Amino acid sequence: MDGGRAAAGGAGPSPVAASPHSTAPSSTSVDVSSFTHTPCYCEENIYMLCKELMRIGVADLMGTDLYVVFISNEEKKVPLWHQKASNSDDGFICWDYHVICIQVKLNLIGVVFCFSLVCTANIKAVHCVSCSISCYFLMCIWKSRRNKGEVLGLVWDLDSDLPFPSPFSQYVSNAIQPLAFGDSIYRRLFRVVHAPLFLQSFASDRSHMKDPAGNWIQLPPKYDPIVAADGTTNNLHEYIAMSVDDVADLESMVNDVYSNNHGVVVNETILSRFFSRLPHP
């Protein structure tokens, strides 16, 4: 995200009434301060987050349960809520782009992990599943909910004031607020990239953070710039650029996300359905 072009509070489009900040704690939360974070370098922050989640065993060793999601649009005006950089009580801000990580667990341990977060964060939820309930019963519940289009996944956003991580449904409802701006220039698009491909293919020389005179707009991370496995030194623009014309049919995107280095582009209408259609265990 380019901090020089982020509009907080009333500087962006007029937002709809945002949901109140969630006060429900996450019983299995991870300390956000333990992750590398450089302001306005969200693409690199998420790159480093994916590697750390894999290293500490929260994610699959190869990152197969992780998806990097670039949020932008043709106008580079992306409204989001619950952002720490905002000056508004509801955390509203308008970025040129933002990057998050979505984790969709494809094993039973992950189902328990995600299910506990959903129950903890949802005030109206039925009491959390008892430890005495059999694994088989829990798996049946999970498959039933996924068949209904629900996503038992997690969203990792280092720049959000929502629980870290947040249940997918909570983050989408509170931070994204789908269709809040209808068919306007502010409608969000989501480039979803499978993490194993992203970690091999992404590169940035950070030139987007320099002014015409070569001065830093925002100070860069202290580690060396990220270079792709094939030696590419900069392709950030290929991930940020997206159009409504890039959105294909749902079935093909569910398959292509595992083979396209730059992922697939999903719109607000089918975002949840896309993640609910990812392969079952």
Side-chain angles (χ1 to χ4, degrees):
M1 70 190 73
D2 186 340
R5 290 185 293 178
S14 300
V16 297
S19 301
H21 285 215
S22 171
T23 57
S26 170
S27 60
T28 48
S29 63
V30 180
D31 185 3
V32 66
S33 65
S34 65
F35 293 86
T36 300
H37 181 269
T38 305
C40 297
Y41 287 84
C42 55
E43 63 284 345
E44 294 197 35
N45 293 335
I46 293 299
Y47 179 99
M48 301 300 287
L49 178 139
C50 287
K51 298 189 76 169
E52 182 64 7
L53 291 178
M54 294 157 56
R55 187 189 72 80
I56 64 178
V58 173
D60 176 77
L61 182 62
M62 301 301 293
T64 56
D65 53 346
L66 301 178
Y67 299 82
V68 175
V69 181
F70 285 76
I71 310 173
S72 192
N73 52 33
E74 295 96 327
E75 300 294 327
K76 300 295 186 293
K77 295 178 179 179
V78 183
L80 290 175
W81 286 264
H82 290 279
Q83 294 291 292
K84 296 175 183 176
S86 171
N87 295 320
S88 300
D89 291 340
D90 58 7
F92 178 80
I93 201 167
C94 191
W95 295 116
D96 53 349
Y97 69 94
H98 188 47
V99 187
I100 61 176
C101 174
I102 295 180
Q103 183 176 24
V104 180
K105 301 297 286 186
L106 298 181
N107 56 58
L108 185 56
I109 294 176
V111 172
V112 176
F113 181 67
C114 295
F115 212 100
S116 65
L117 276 179
V118 171
C119 290
T120 300
N122 187 352
I123 298 175
K124 296 182 180 179
V126 179
H127 295 295
C128 291
V129 179
S130 170
C131 294
S132 62
I133 296 179
S134 68
C135 292
Y136 173 78
F137 181 62
L138 184 55
M139 182 65 80
C140 288
I141 294 175
W142 176 65
K143 286 186 175 181
S144 174
R145 293 186 67 169
R146 285 194 63 164
N147 289 338
K148 295 178 182 177
E150 297 183 51
V151 182
L152 291 181
L154 305 173
V155 176
W156 301 83
D157 183 354
L158 291 160
D159 297 291
S160 174
D161 62 17
L162 291 171
F164 182 82
S166 290
F168 179 90
S169 59
Q170 180 189 24
Y171 187 90
V172 170
S173 296
N174 292 352
I176 296 175
Q177 300 190 22
L179 307 180
F181 297 96
D183 190 22
S184 73
I185 62 172
Y186 300 108
R187 59 186 175 185
R188 280 70 52 92
L189 294 171
F190 306 84
R191 182 178 294 279
V192 182
V193 189
H194 198 209
L197 295 173
F198 180 74
L199 295 176
Q200 288 291 312
S201 304
F202 176 73
S204 175
D205 61 7
R206 302 167 181 166
S207 57
H208 67 296
M209 279 297 185
K210 289 187 175 181
D211 64 21
N215 300 311
W216 289 111
I217 299 172
Q218 295 286 343
L219 291 177
K222 296 181 180 180
Y223 53 83
D224 292 337
I226 297 170
V227 178
D230 64 2
T232 299
T233 58
N234 190 40
N235 57 17
L236 173 61
H237 61 285
E238 297 176 24
Y239 291 92
I240 299 172
M242 57 189 85
S243 164
V244 292
D245 294 333
D246 297 327
V247 181
D249 67 275
L250 186 59
E251 291 302 324
S252 64
M253 290 192 296
V254 167
N255 293 321
D256 292 347
V257 72
Y258 297 108
S259 59
N260 191 334
N261 286 344
H262 297 106
V264 297
V265 177
V266 179
N267 60 32
E268 297 181 23
T269 304
I270 61 175
L271 178 64
S272 294
R273 279 193 292 152
F274 172 82
F275 278 100
S276 73
R277 296 295 293 274
L278 294 177
H280 294 316

